[in-house]
Amino acid sequence: SGEFLEVNTGAEKLYGYSAEELLGLSVEDISQGSSPYGMQEAGEKIEQAIVYGSVRFEWLGRRKDRTLFWGDVSLNYVHFGDRSCVLAVVRDIDARKNAELVLAREKEQLAVTLRSIGDGVITTDLEGRVVLLNRVAEQLTGWSQNEARGMALPEVFHIVDEKTGKSSTDPAAEVLQTGKILELANHTLLLGRDGRQHAIAESAAPIYDPQSQGIGVVVVFRDVTEKNRLEQELFKVKKLESVGVLAGGIAHDFNNILAAILGNISLARGRMQTEGISCDRVESLLVQAEKAGDQARHLTNQLLTFSKGGDPVKQTASISEIIRESVGFVLRGSPVRCSYDVVDDLWFAEVDPGQISQVIQNIILNARQAMPGGGEIRITAENCRDCAGETQLLGEHCVRIVISDNGPGMAPEVTEKIFDPYFSTRVEGSGLGLAICHSILEKHNGRISVSSTPGKGTTFTILLPVGHQEVVQTLPENKPVSSGQARILLMDDEEMIRELATEMFSFLGHQITTARDGQEAVECYRKAMESEKPFDLVILDLTVPGGMGGKEAAELLLQLNPKARIIVSSGYSNDPVMAEYEHYGFVATISKPYDVNGLELILQNALHPPGTNSS
């Protein structure tokens, strides 16, 4: 019935009642009182003791002062003469039980902490067998906590050398042997259960109990795959910058020499035509020399892409048009086919059309050369509404261009170096094409990446920032014909350029005055104004070592005459001043080297801008 028949003094002390008081109570009165420590559960325990002879359990009791405590209860079915009853022995285990609860809470807190850590954590026992894995370790290894428990560490944590592919030493075994903290070597790969590979940084350390006795090993590791990729990208950019420092200086000086060569060739051909000199053999040699010079000019322009600065002249343009024009130009007459999948509402992009066209052409040219017998290129272009996680674009929105071919593909070791300057798989290749693509995209705040599978083809992915202005339509203009003689002032620090310019301008029917630096040019311009015979046009070399350059000279000339028409000239075709010449007061640019025909066209536009009367 749960009523008390006899109690000892231990019960009196435990519950705080006298013997008389306890004999007037029942089991319910000295229990916590609610499920699972109420009268119903107590009755069930008593019934079990009667049926089975004895039963033992933990119970939450209540003292006279209403405080609760944990008790270890043993019920035994006994007989006293002709009377049967249940003997209950209760032992106070409150201190132990509370310690267990505290320990359980600490264990739970530790488990929650371990599962929340961003690094992978694996612990082992003294035999190197897995005891615990946290959530990150489960994700990277592919093994769950329950599956991995009791397995040897190398079975779960399978690591190999990235370069050799050989299995690495078991870190738990080494720590247990040496008793020292172990730092994992670089270039270590973790092979997951699902076959995925993760570059990791790892350390292992012994675990000690409060008595400083070793009880196991803890292995802590993190996935550094993305970190390594970003470091490689940064290293690649640094290499391009290093190439730029060298290329900028060499190409500038070479362009000056090339300007004299090409200028004299074009001048010679022009004089032969105007003076009626006919010599097919000489004409043929000059044409070949001019072609060689044009190739050299193209090479220096490629080198200058790497030079410091070189900001693209951006405008909002139709990427779809740039793609189709660039592809058509490269594949004309080729057995390679190209299909397009471009969304109808493709956003306009903020780009330098000429530079992006160069990117597309270089990629398509590579694909064409990889498939000499013919093949297929597929180009898709779409709007991307969440680019922030992919690259530091000017905004979250961008245009994604994917160019895929079904050529022979590339091995992983080739793919890793594909954007490196001067790396080429072709004997006749310069190794600059894709490096230039990378450099151009960096300067556009965009991104280019490549993936390739041997035997299955190659895919390039390009991301470009979205434009926010109206599309600039470049319409053909009717170029006015030069009319009469113009007074032109040219400043250049190279004597051969000044001599060449004198010949070229004279050939074109203009009167030319030359100056060696900006200070001399400003003085010449001032004297011409005072003599009431001002110059119609001024051409200033941008860079003058040790002297005043074109930018500073232009500022002084515009102070003398705010309407002065000034052209900036440079061997650095990608110089920021060349890219934004109007911002500095110039009306046009001339990139060295230049020939007679190109020079004449620029002079016509500068002397007779569109919309003016050329008579």
Side-chain angles (χ1 to χ4, degrees), residues 254-525:
F254 185 66
N255 261 344
N256 281 333
I257 300 171
L258 197 57
I261 296 172
L262 283 175
N264 280 303
I265 290 174
S266 65
L267 191 58
R269 292 185 63 198
R271 289 199 181 280
M272 287 178 65
Q273 294 171 3
T274 56
E275 296 177 13
I277 301 173
S278 177
C279 181
D280 294 340
R281 180 57 180 164
V282 172
E283 175 70 16
S284 176
L285 291 173
L286 289 174
V287 168
Q288 293 302 317
E290 199 166 37
K291 286 182 179 179
D294 284 334
Q295 290 177 351
R297 174 165 53 185
H298 179 65
L299 179 59
T300 56
N301 286 337
Q302 286 186 317
L303 288 172
L304 283 167
T305 303
F306 298 117
S307 61
K308 191 174 182 179
D311 294 331
V313 183
K314 295 180 182 179
Q315 62 187 50
T316 304
S318 169
I319 291 298
S320 177
E321 292 180 9
I322 293 175
I323 291 173
R324 293 180 187 274
E325 290 176 3
S326 302
V327 173
F329 176 77
V330 176
L331 295 184
R332 190 171 293 116
S334 166
V336 177
R337 303 182 308 278
C338 185
S339 60
Y340 300 91
D341 183 9
V342 180
V343 296
D344 294 334
D345 61 341
L346 186 67
W347 292 327
F348 297 124
E350 194 75 12
V351 297
D352 182 321
Q355 289 190 4
I356 297 303
S357 177
Q358 188 177 3
V359 170
I360 302 297
Q361 287 183 36
N362 282 340
I363 295 174
I364 298 300
L365 182 60
N366 271 14
R368 174 179 172 174
Q369 291 170 342
M371 302 183 292
E376 184 173 356
I377 297 173
R378 180 173 179 80
I379 300 179
T380 63
E382 60 185 355
N383 301 323
C384 179
R385 288 178 167 78
D386 186 17
C387 296
E390 299 187 66
T391 183
Q392 296 296 321
L393 293 169
L394 297 180
E396 292 188 354
H397 295 174
C398 63
V399 174
R400 178 187 282 115
I401 306 165
V402 180
I403 304 175
S404 303
D405 66 57
N406 61 351
M410 297 179 289
E413 58 269 21
V414 175
T415 306
E416 290 177 1
K417 300 178 181 178
I418 201 67
F419 296 113
D420 290 355
Y422 306 119
F423 174 79
S424 178
T425 56
R426 295 183 294 110
V427 176
E428 69 277 11
S430 67
L432 287 175
L434 292 177
I436 286 173
C437 294
H438 189 280
S439 181
I440 288 174
L441 267 300
E442 284 289 329
K443 291 174 182 176
H444 275 78
N445 297 318
R447 179 181 174 185
I448 182 170
S449 59
V450 62
S451 62
S452 186
T453 304
K456 294 186 178 180
T458 301
T459 298
F460 285 89
T461 301
I462 297 170
L463 300 176
L464 287 169
V466 174
H468 301 286
Q469 306 170 11
E470 295 183 3
V471 180
V472 177
Q473 299 287 348
T474 304
L475 301 175
E477 301 174 354
N478 294 322
K479 305 297 181 185
V481 179
S482 179
S483 57
Q485 186 184 72
R487 286 174 50 80
I488 298 174
L489 171 62
L490 178 134
M491 181 274 283
D492 199 291
D493 63 310
E494 292 287 343
E495 184 179 358
M496 59 181 174
I497 298 296
R498 296 196 300 272
E499 292 176 354
L500 172 65
T502 300
E503 290 288 335
M504 292 178 110
F505 287 123
S506 299
F507 175 75
L508 294 173
H510 301 295
Q511 183 179 344
I512 177 76
T513 299
T514 62
R516 289 170 294 182
D517 58 28
Q519 189 172 359
E520 186 178 342
V522 172
E523 188 61 27
C524 287
Y525 194 88

Side-chain angles (χ1 to χ4, degrees), residues 174-175 178-183 203-206 208:
E174 189 167 343
V175 170
T178 63
K180 298 179 180 179
I181 296 175
L182 172 69
E183 292 288 341
S203 65
Y208 297 102

Side-chain angles (χ1 to χ4, degrees), residues 126-200:
L126 290 174
E127 296 180 354
R129 296 190 175 278
V130 175
V131 176
L132 177 147
L133 278 81
N134 74 342
R135 177 180 54 82
V136 175
E138 288 179 333
Q139 292 172 347
L140 294 178
T141 64
W143 293 88
S144 69
Q145 163 85 4
N146 293 332
E147 292 173 323
R149 186 182 289 113
M151 295 177 63
L153 180 63
E155 297 180 65
V156 177
F157 188 64
H158 185 195
I159 54 177
V160 299
D161 186 283
E162 183 178 11
K163 294 182 177 179
T164 65
K166 295 181 179 179
S167 294
S168 300
T169 305
D170 177 2
E174 189 167 343
V175 170
L176 289 171
Q177 182 178 1
T178 63
K180 298 179 180 179
I181 296 175
L182 172 69
E183 292 288 341
L184 201 67
N186 293 330
H187 310 295
T188 299
L189 287 179
L190 169 64
L191 304 184
R193 188 181 184 183
D194 56 4
R196 290 187 299 167
Q197 298 182 350
H198 306 275
I200 62 168

Side-chain angles (χ1 to χ4, degrees), residues 17 29 62-68:
Y17 292 99
D29 297 318
R62 184 188 302 276
R63 296 187 174 92
K64 183 178 180 179
D65 61 5
R66 311 303 292 173
T67 60
L68 301 176

